[in-house]
Amino acid sequence: MDPEDLVRAVFERVHASDPAVGELYAEDAVRLDQYGQRYEGRVAITQFYESIFPTSSPHPELECLFVNLPLVGALLRLPGKDGAAGLYLDLFEVKDGLISSLWVMFQPSADG
Protein backbone atom coordinates (compact mmCIF):
# COMPACT_ATOMS: atom_id res chain seq x y z
CA MET A 1 0.00 0.00 0.00
CA ASP A 2 1.48 3.38 -0.93
CA PRO A 3 1.67 6.10 1.77
CA GLU A 4 -1.36 8.00 0.46
CA ASP A 5 -3.52 4.87 0.44
CA LEU A 6 -2.26 4.01 3.92
CA VAL A 7 -3.47 7.37 5.25
CA ARG A 8 -6.79 7.08 3.40
CA ALA A 9 -7.21 3.63 4.97
CA VAL A 10 -6.90 5.19 8.45
CA PHE A 11 -9.94 7.38 7.80
CA GLU A 12 -11.89 4.58 6.12
CA ARG A 13 -11.35 2.34 9.14
CA VAL A 14 -12.17 5.11 11.62
CA HIS A 15 -15.40 5.86 9.76
CA ALA A 16 -16.24 2.15 9.91
CA SER A 17 -15.30 1.94 13.65
CA ASP A 18 -12.87 -0.79 12.62
CA PRO A 19 -10.29 -1.59 15.34
CA ALA A 20 -8.02 -2.89 12.57
CA VAL A 21 -7.01 0.77 12.13
CA GLY A 22 -4.25 -0.05 14.63
CA GLU A 23 -2.69 -2.49 12.17
CA LEU A 24 -1.69 0.47 9.99
CA TYR A 25 0.72 1.68 12.69
CA ALA A 26 4.20 0.38 13.49
CA GLU A 27 4.65 -1.48 16.78
CA ASP A 28 6.55 1.50 18.21
CA ALA A 29 4.44 4.25 16.62
CA VAL A 30 3.61 7.46 18.46
CA ARG A 31 0.40 9.52 18.24
CA LEU A 32 0.44 13.04 19.64
CA ASP A 33 -2.77 15.07 19.66
CA GLN A 34 -3.47 18.78 19.77
CA TYR A 35 -3.88 18.65 23.55
CA GLY A 36 -0.46 17.10 24.14
CA GLN A 37 -1.86 13.62 24.83
CA ARG A 38 0.70 11.04 23.73
CA TYR A 39 -0.03 7.43 22.81
CA GLU A 40 2.99 5.19 22.40
CA GLY A 41 2.89 1.87 20.62
CA ARG A 42 0.38 0.11 18.38
CA VAL A 43 -1.58 -1.28 21.34
CA ALA A 44 -2.08 2.15 22.95
CA ILE A 45 -3.04 3.72 19.61
CA THR A 46 -5.52 0.94 18.91
CA GLN A 47 -7.03 1.42 22.38
CA PHE A 48 -7.36 5.15 21.70
CA TYR A 49 -9.31 4.50 18.50
CA GLU A 50 -11.50 1.90 20.19
CA SER A 51 -12.30 4.42 22.93
CA ILE A 52 -13.63 6.99 20.45
CA PHE A 53 -15.65 4.69 18.22
CA PRO A 54 -18.86 4.72 20.24
CA THR A 55 -18.82 8.49 20.76
CA SER A 56 -16.99 10.14 17.86
CA SER A 57 -19.64 11.51 15.59
CA PRO A 58 -19.41 13.21 13.22
CA HIS A 59 -16.21 11.88 11.70
CA PRO A 60 -13.65 14.11 10.04
CA GLU A 61 -13.97 14.56 6.29
CA LEU A 62 -10.75 14.21 4.31
CA GLU A 63 -10.35 17.33 2.17
CA CYS A 64 -6.97 16.59 0.58
CA LEU A 65 -3.54 15.07 1.09
CA PHE A 66 -0.15 16.76 0.91
CA VAL A 67 2.77 14.42 0.30
CA ASN A 68 6.44 15.07 0.95
CA LEU A 69 7.70 11.63 1.89
CA PRO A 70 8.12 10.35 4.48
CA LEU A 71 5.40 12.83 5.55
CA VAL A 72 1.77 12.79 4.46
CA GLY A 73 -0.43 15.64 5.63
CA ALA A 74 -4.20 15.13 5.69
CA LEU A 75 -6.31 18.28 5.74
CA LEU A 76 -9.56 17.44 7.53
CA ARG A 77 -12.82 19.22 8.10
CA LEU A 78 -14.70 18.28 11.26
CA PRO A 79 -18.31 19.46 11.35
CA GLY A 80 -19.19 20.96 14.71
CA LYS A 81 -22.41 20.74 16.67
CA ASP A 82 -23.18 24.39 15.88
CA GLY A 83 -22.82 23.82 12.12
CA ALA A 84 -19.37 25.40 11.93
CA ALA A 85 -16.50 23.24 10.74
CA GLY A 86 -13.06 23.08 12.33
CA LEU A 87 -10.00 22.47 10.21
CA TYR A 88 -7.48 19.88 11.28
CA LEU A 89 -4.17 18.75 9.93
CA ASP A 90 -3.06 15.23 10.66
CA LEU A 91 0.62 14.85 9.85
CA PHE A 92 1.60 11.22 9.34
CA GLU A 93 5.14 9.93 9.09
CA VAL A 94 5.30 6.72 7.08
CA LYS A 95 8.23 4.31 7.24
CA ASP A 96 8.51 0.79 5.85
CA GLY A 97 4.85 0.70 4.83
CA LEU A 98 3.46 1.62 8.27
CA ILE A 99 2.68 4.81 10.14
CA SER A 100 5.52 5.57 12.54
CA SER A 101 4.07 8.78 13.95
CA LEU A 102 1.01 10.99 13.80
CA TRP A 103 0.70 14.59 14.96
CA VAL A 104 -2.85 15.93 15.18
CA MET A 105 -3.15 19.71 14.84
CA PHE A 106 -6.14 21.97 14.51
CA GLN A 107 -7.12 25.54 13.77
CA PRO A 108 -8.79 27.01 16.83
CA SER A 109 -12.02 28.88 16.37
CA ALA A 110 -11.91 32.68 16.15
CA ASP A 111 -13.42 33.02 19.63
CA GLY A 112 -10.76 30.94 21.31
Side-chain angles (χ1 to χ4, degrees):
M1 184 177 318
D2 69 33
E4 295 92 339
D5 288 339
L6 183 68
V7 170
R8 283 186 190 95
V10 168
F11 297 105
E12 290 168 3
R13 291 180 187 189
V14 168
H15 285 212
S17 295
D18 182 353
V21 66
E23 296 171 4
L24 303 173
Y25 288 82
E27 286 292 333
D28 61 349
V30 175
R31 181 189 189 279
L32 183 63
D33 71 20
Q34 68 270 30
Y35 306 109
Q37 183 67 44
R38 184 178 180 95
Y39 302 88
E40 295 187 39
R42 180 185 288 164
V43 171
I45 292 169
T46 300
Q47 290 171 343
F48 160 77
Y49 283 115
E50 289 174 340
S51 76
I52 67 166
F53 288 154
T55 60
S56 68
S57 182
H59 293 295
E61 301 165 6
L62 180 60
E63 294 286 314
C64 61
L65 294 176
F66 302 94
V67 181
N68 187 9
L69 296 177
L71 301 175
V72 178
L75 181 62
L76 306 167
R77 182 171 305 280
L78 183 62
K81 294 175 185 169
D82 62 358
L87 292 178
Y88 287 76
L89 176 67
D90 282 1
L91 187 58
F92 295 85
E93 185 174 18
V94 178
K95 291 183 182 173
D96 300 323
L98 294 170
I99 298 164
S100 62
S101 61
L102 167 58
W103 298 276
V104 177
M105 298 168 251
F106 75 107
Q107 175 183 332
S109 65
D111 59 348

